Amino acid sequence: MRKILVTGGAGFIGSNFVRHLLHTYADCQIVVYDKLTYCGNLDNLQDVAERFAGRYTFIQGDIADAAAVGAAMQAHGIDVIVNLAAETHVDRSLMEPDAFLKTDVYGTYVLLEAARQHGVERYHQVSTDEVYGEIPPGYRSLETDPVRPRSPYSATKTGGDLLCLAYHNSFGLPVTITRGANNIGPYQYPEKVVPLFITNALDDQPLPLYGDGRQVRDYQYVLDHCEAIDLVMRHGRPGEVYNVGTGHETENIVMAHAILDLLGKPYSLIRSVADRPGHDRRYALSVDKVRALGWRSSHSFQQAIEKTVRWYVDNEWWWRKLKSGAYLDYYRQWYGQRLAEADRP
Ligand code: NAD
Ligand code: DAU
């Protein structure tokens, strides 16, 4: 596994994953292939480009463009593809699902075809716990459970997963899939709840909490997730799915209080706003299978949120400029009415 194509490598998890690979393996060559959508950002890889110039290449391209993907594979003699390129925000999938279908379904198909034609050693698909849908209290999703996606985002991610499994079954492509819980940490675009709440709180702006704030998520530190992806890509069995999470459940209101406590800001910044339509109340994963490969999450929720808050406090240069222009248009469109009608929880 020397020449690795990381699609979506300029995004949040992708850039952390690239940094992890280059620091961990002295012999690997990384080609990042990324369209640079609103979420993709070369600032996320600035340190990588400087420090690992000889082992890192960036190509701007769309995973749905078969000719461009094929050219990148050929030019760099790629032997592994890790696909992190996706449209990733549930709320945007409710506003404009079109790009989700093009990237998360059709783009995955293009990459699988390229993997097949070039005879790669491994194709790894980074997927999500959201494919299992809403999980009732007391239960944890197993990799063998039926998929029941409930948002356009999770439906298109499920489509990608099913194509991967079909390519393994039909063509023997050596595919693995990880289904991760919510990631937090450096370089996450400030539309996702944790960086949104941290950066709003730093500016004494309201924190728009959906509904009663009692929805449950497993917030895991991004580097733990990256280590699991790396392990499964190398040692996971082809054709298999691996869940990745801490197994620790946190209600959104508890997450919001933790952020405000760390920043020394008042809980009165929280506003209870109209809920996300079709909002999945709870996700929870069984992670025994990835643990059996030797993976352990290294961060508790408290450690993960502390490191994350510290990073945004220290890296205003990174996020401040993102919260302008098209971001503000999106913010007004999605939150304007919600915040105008908001209550204190
Ligand atoms: P992100 O939105 O931060 O980054 C996505 C990256 O993909 C961006 O750099 C973007 O420019 C790129 N991209 C989008 N469309 C593309 C296209 N057509 N061609 C090439 N590049 C394209 O996302 P993230 O949070 O880093 O998520 C990465 C992957 O991990 C996604 O597949 C997501 O579904 C999955 N995932 C995310 C989480 C999470 O909590 N963030 C949890 C589990 C799984
Ligand atoms: O579970 C894995 C998924 O985690 C990934 O597949 C997705 O790509 C990633 O975006 C994330 O999805 P979520 O919808 O869980 O993340 P988000 O940060 O949007 O929301 C987390 C929780 O916080 C969710 O219950 C909704 C709530 N929320 C979110 C926003 C943006 C709020 O209460 N207010 C908000 O403003």
Side-chain angles (χ1 to χ4, degrees), residues 7-14 33-41 61-64 83-89 102-104 126-129 153 157 178-184 187-189 191-192 220 225:
T7 58
F12 163 48
I13 304 173
Y33 183 94
D34 196 299
K35 187 177 175 182
L36 296 182
T37 66
Y38 73 97
C39 253
N41 183 354
D62 187 336
I63 59 166
N83 180 26
L84 294 115
E87 289 292 334
T88 57
H89 194 37
K102 287 181 178 140
T103 293
D104 301 10
V126 178
S127 184
T128 168
D129 58 0
Y153 164 69
K157 288 297 292 182
T178 41
R179 290 182 177 154
N182 290 60
N183 284 223
I184 59 174
Y187 305 106
Q188 186 170 31
Y189 191 77
E191 66 184 352
K192 307 293 184 333
Q220 63 177 328
H225 186 208

Side-chain angles (χ1 to χ4, degrees), residues 87-91 127-130 153 157 180-183 188 191-197 207-211 213 215-219 252 255 273 275-276 279-281 283 330 334-335:
E87 289 292 334
T88 57
H89 194 37
V90 174
D91 296 334
S127 184
T128 168
D129 58 0
E130 300 204 9
Y153 164 69
K157 288 297 292 182
N182 290 60
N183 284 223
Q188 186 170 31
E191 66 184 352
K192 307 293 184 333
V193 73
V194 167
L196 173 68
F197 281 12
L207 276 48
L209 186 70
Y210 294 156
Q215 307 86 3
V216 169
R217 294 292 185 271
D218 175 354
Y219 292 100
N252 287 331
M255 169 272 293
V273 300
D275 208 346
R276 167 187 285 172
H279 194 172
D280 289 338
R281 190 120 182 118
Y283 302 127
Y330 159 78
W334 185 254
Y335 293 105

Side-chain angles (χ1 to χ4, degrees), residues 22-44:
L22 287 165
H23 280 278
T24 309
Y25 305 101
D27 64 340
C28 74
Q29 300 273 342
I30 303 296
V31 179
V32 169
Y33 183 94
D34 196 299
K35 187 177 175 182
L36 296 182
T37 66
Y38 73 97
C39 253
N41 183 354
L42 287 179
D43 280 352
N44 301 2

